[in-house]
Amino acid sequence: MRIAVDAMGGDFAPDAIVEGVLMAAAEVPEQVTIVLVGKQATIQALLNAHGAESVANIELVNADDVIGMSEHPTKALSQKPNSSIGVGFKLLKEKNVNAFCSAGNTGAMHVGALFSIKSIEGVLRPCIAGFVPQITGGYAVMLDIGANADCKPEMMAQFGEIGSIYAQYTFGIERPRVVLMNIGSEEQKGSLVAQAAHQLLKDNRRINFVGNIEGGDFFAGKADVIVTDGFTGNTMFKLGESFYRMAEQRGIHDDFLDKTNYESVGGSPILGVNGNVIIAHGISSPLAIKNMISLAVRQVESNAYTKIAQALN
Amino acid sequence: MRIAVDAMGGDFAPDAIVEGVLMAAAEVPEQVTIVLVGKQATIQALLNAHGAESVANIELVNADDVIGMSEHPTKALSQKPNSSIGVGFKLLKEKNVNAFCSAGNTGAMHVGALFSIKSIEGVLRPCIAGFVPQITGGYAVMLDIGANADCKPEMMAQFGEIGSIYAQYTFGIERPRVVLMNIGSEEQKGSLVAQAAHQLLKDNRRINFVGNIEGGDFFAGKADVIVTDGFTGNTMFKLGESFYRMAEQRGIHDDFLDKTNYESVGGSPILGVNGNVIIAHGISSPLAIKNMISLAVRQVESNAYTKIAQALN
């Protein structure tokens, strides 16, 4: 198994990325090779500085350009085919690697996935999934957390199905409890879109839809899959993550709150595309990068994206 | 000043309400009378049980009926004019009291306000404001937190103006910083509604609009007024409140997290109507009720609703 990692993406790249990759390389299963994509000389110098001139399960692939964090995604991708993101998607498309991960420009990662490996047939809109720690243990998969600010009910109903398959195969949950994030528990509650999405989710016999949850249930252990539009999902997910930062600022240490730290999973998959693409926070630390790679390994092993393709076709 | 309180509304009514009113009566300024609305015999018996047969600044007004927490608002109000909510609004409309507060059926409170004291002329849609503690101190006013699940940009722009006036007069903030909750800091980010609302807020010279904030900035001290649609606002507000409950569950005690407890303010005003109406959590404790009454006193003193009316006309 080969996992490509964008060495140049993220606020602390390439240093934090190379350090995280070295941490991961010491831990991943034997059959995993990590492919570092970026400016080869820079990366090699960093590896040398860590006393890791040559690591058996790390491979380097050169990419001369870098897409900046605030560049326009489509423009940047077409103008910089030799950027680390451009080269990473080329490797993924050619099946030279099984997954591509980056803490770089999120928009470019999203557009890159759509242009290279493309959406799964039947998928209305790919989305980004986030992991929400549950106080009862484990994580709920929340989707969409930001790819689609405006959602139609049909899109949200499909997020429920995609999330259910992902939770089943990647997390081994037998009949994932799918819920809709809403502003009341009754089915007639909520925005027009949420009301319509509720009906579609309820009517879908292929998922185990258990109804609405409210904002106060975010961490409550009532769900394995949380369906939401990308606007609500993004604002809630970021608020949820801020819990850890706030606790840290206040000198509070707690096992559960530690799991609300973005580093604990380290990445968010783009779901609904023909391959494994994982994006990470711009601020990603080495630990976050290491955990993102673990997630990638798990996802490749689960083969979730082909299960999604099978279910929708 | 006369503050009416619905003795029968809330999961723990009338006990918790009467207890909270007794706490408030011992603390409010001299000129304040609290008017308890509900089944007089029941309330009197509870007061007696507290050894408070007669309290100088507590008055009783009888109301034979009660609107249940899950009754249909419009139907219940028309069928039960002698409910505590019905009588409370009658007192408010007749200017017998300066404010009406209830932890009862939120929908009935909202509809009751619209039917009795009515929307301020020029207000597109009244909304509910919530108080979000800021890590730098004080509270931000967030609106709407649930009255309008579907919002037009014009409504949200007006929430910005209403919230700004409220923050200025009720909290004494000179030039309140108004922000839009969004999924990115750049003005072209977000849903179509958020993008359009951003432009309208930016163009309004009567407010101090300082741009977008993201979910992670909810508690960050970047805003005095947070504008949002009622769907996003409701889910985020409830998630924010859950921080306290979770911390409590984990045995964490912290001054700031304690402020995320709904009890610390105790109520949410309905803004954009011709009077002071405050709703509280169904689960309201005596402490929450006491703090809701303090908020009501502050709001009556500030005369914010007439300032809103003047600004919009």
Side-chain angles (χ1 to χ4, degrees):
Chain A
M1 182 193 309
R2 294 163 61 77
I3 309 288
V5 176
D6 173 9
M8 315 309 287
D11 300 341
F12 307 114
D15 306 57
I17 316 299
V18 169
E19 207 180 317
V21 163
L22 282 168
M23 286 163 72
E27 282 188 14
V28 287
E30 222 181 327
Q31 74 281 13
V32 176
T33 297
I34 304 172
V35 180
L36 263 169
V37 185
K39 296 186 177 177
Q40 197 159 351
T42 312
I43 301 169
Q44 188 61 60
L46 280 167
L47 288 171
N48 295 351
H50 279 94
E53 288 74 10
S54 161
V55 181
N57 57 356
I58 298 182
E59 213 180 282
L60 269 52
V61 169
N62 188 58
D64 286 324
D65 263 342
V66 176
I67 294 179
M69 295 301 272
S70 53
E71 282 192 64
H72 187 278
T74 320
K75 222 180 280 179
L77 273 169
S78 69
Q79 285 168 355
K80 296 179 175 176
N82 290 319
S83 61
S84 52
I85 291 181
V87 172
F89 276 116
K90 195 163 168 281
L91 294 173
L92 187 65
K93 192 185 171 184
E94 290 169 351
K95 299 199 187 295
N96 183 303
V97 297
N98 304 91
F100 178 45
C101 314
S102 174
N105 186 314
T106 305
M109 286 298 289
H110 194 72
V111 172
L114 296 182
F115 282 13
S116 63
I117 54 170
K118 298 192 166 55
S119 296
I120 290 170
E121 215 189 304
V123 166
L124 299 170
R125 290 280 198 99
C127 62
I128 301 173
F131 300 97
V132 181
Q134 299 294 298
I135 204 150
T136 47
Y139 291 86
V141 179
M142 186 173 194
L143 62 183
D144 178 20
I145 62 159
N148 308 285
D150 290 292
C151 282
K152 291 194 165 64
E154 293 73 17
M155 287 162 61
M156 288 168 67
Q158 201 175 61
F159 298 161
E161 191 159 354
I162 291 172
S164 179
I165 297 167
Y166 185 82
Q168 185 183 340
Y169 290 98
T170 305
F171 286 90
I173 300 166
E174 201 47 59
R175 262 176 71 72
R177 294 162 300 163
V178 178
V179 303
L180 176 67
M181 180 54 69
N182 207 332
I183 63 173
S185 52
E186 304 89 345
E187 62 178 75
Q188 76 280 12
K189 281 285 173 77
S191 60
L192 296 174
V193 167
Q195 288 176 45
H198 183 107
Q199 291 308 321
L200 294 172
L201 286 162
K202 203 174 98 175
D203 291 345
N204 186 342
R205 296 282 150 235
R206 294 188 298 273
I207 59 169
N208 175 27
F209 180 61
V210 297
N212 296 339
I213 63 167
E214 297 188 58
D217 302 321
F218 189 71
F219 295 116
K222 295 183 177 177
D224 301 306
V225 177
I226 304 172
V227 175
T228 170
D229 66 273
F231 190 91
T232 310
N234 185 277
T235 54
M236 292 191 82
F237 193 76
K238 285 179 179 160
L239 171 53
E241 282 183 342
S242 76
F243 203 175
Y244 172 77
R245 283 202 309 282
M246 217 162 65
E248 208 186 22
Q249 236 179 304
R250 310 284 303 170
I252 298 166
H253 292 285
D254 174 81
D255 286 353
F256 178 72
L257 290 188
D258 286 353
K259 288 175 73 183
T260 68
N261 181 3
Y262 81 96
E263 288 176 322
S264 79
V265 177
S268 292
I270 297 179
L271 296 183
V273 291
N274 285 301
N276 297 299
V277 180
I278 298 178
I279 57 179
H281 249 291
I283 56 163
S284 284
S285 66
L287 175 64
I289 297 299
K290 187 199 80 159
N291 288 334
M292 171 175 73
I293 294 168
S294 300
L295 175 68
V297 170
R298 199 169 187 174
Q299 214 175 288
V300 172
E301 279 169 351
S302 78
N303 214 2
Y305 84 87
T306 58
K307 307 287 183 190
I308 294 169
Q310 283 159 17
L312 298 181
N313 288 290
Chain B
M1 182 193 309
R2 293 164 60 78
I3 309 288
V5 177
D6 173 8
M8 314 310 285
D11 300 340
F12 307 114
D15 306 60
I17 315 299
V18 169
E19 206 181 319
V21 163
L22 282 168
M23 287 163 72
E27 282 188 14
V28 288
E30 222 181 327
Q31 75 279 15
V32 176
T33 298
I34 304 172
V35 181
L36 262 169
V37 185
K39 296 185 178 177
Q40 197 158 354
T42 311
I43 300 168
Q44 188 61 60
L46 280 168
L47 288 170
N48 296 351
H50 279 95
E53 288 74 9
S54 160
V55 181
N57 57 356
I58 297 182
E59 213 179 283
L60 268 52
V61 169
N62 188 57
D64 285 323
D65 263 342
V66 176
I67 293 180
M69 295 300 273
S70 53
E71 282 192 65
H72 187 277
T74 320
K75 224 181 278 179
L77 273 169
S78 68
Q79 285 167 355
K80 296 180 175 175
N82 290 320
S83 60
S84 52
I85 291 182
V87 172
F89 276 116
K90 193 162 168 284
L91 294 174
L92 188 65
K93 191 185 173 183
E94 291 167 351
K95 299 199 186 296
N96 183 303
V97 297
N98 304 91
F100 177 43
C101 314
S102 174
N105 187 315
T106 305
M109 285 297 291
H110 194 74
V111 172
L114 296 183
F115 282 13
S116 64
I117 56 170
K118 299 194 165 56
S119 297
I120 290 170
E121 213 189 305
V123 165
L124 299 171
R125 291 280 198 99
C127 62
I128 301 173
F131 300 98
V132 180
Q134 299 293 298
I135 204 149
T136 47
Y139 290 86
V141 180
M142 187 172 193
L143 63 183
D144 177 22
I145 63 159
N148 308 284
D150 289 291
C151 282
K152 291 194 164 65
E154 293 73 17
M155 288 160 63
M156 289 168 66
Q158 201 176 60
F159 297 160
E161 191 157 356
I162 291 171
S164 178
I165 296 166
Y166 185 84
Q168 185 184 342
Y169 290 98
T170 306
F171 286 91
I173 300 167
E174 201 46 61
R175 262 176 70 72
R177 293 162 301 163
V178 179
V179 303
L180 176 67
M181 181 54 70
N182 206 334
I183 64 171
S185 52
E186 304 88 347
E187 63 178 75
Q188 76 279 11
K189 280 286 172 78
S191 60
L192 296 173
V193 167
Q195 288 176 44
H198 183 107
Q199 290 307 321
L200 294 172
L201 287 161
K202 203 174 98 175
D203 292 345
N204 187 341
R205 296 281 148 236
R206 295 189 297 275
I207 59 170
N208 175 26
F209 180 61
V210 297
N212 296 339
I213 63 166
E214 298 187 57
D217 302 322
F218 190 71
F219 294 116
K222 295 183 176 176
D224 301 306
V225 177
I226 303 173
V227 175
T228 171
D229 66 274
F231 190 92
T232 309
N234 185 277
T235 54
M236 291 191 83
F237 194 74
K238 285 179 179 161
L239 170 54
E241 281 184 342
S242 77
F243 280 22
Y244 172 76
R245 284 201 310 281
M246 221 163 61
E248 208 185 22
Q249 237 178 302
R250 309 286 305 172
I252 299 166
H253 292 285
D254 174 83
D255 286 353
F256 179 72
L257 287 183
D258 285 354
K259 288 175 74 183
T260 69
N261 182 4
Y262 81 96
E263 288 176 322
S264 78
V265 177
S268 292
I270 297 179
L271 298 182
V273 292
N274 286 301
N276 297 300
V277 180
I278 298 179
I279 56 179
H281 249 290
I283 57 165
S284 285
S285 66
L287 175 63
I289 298 299
K290 187 200 80 159
N291 287 334
M292 172 176 72
I293 294 168
S294 300
L295 175 69
V297 171
R298 198 171 188 173
Q299 213 175 287
V300 172
E301 280 170 350
S302 78
N303 213 1
Y305 84 88
T306 59
K307 306 288 183 188
I308 293 168
Q310 283 160 16
L312 297 182
N313 289 290

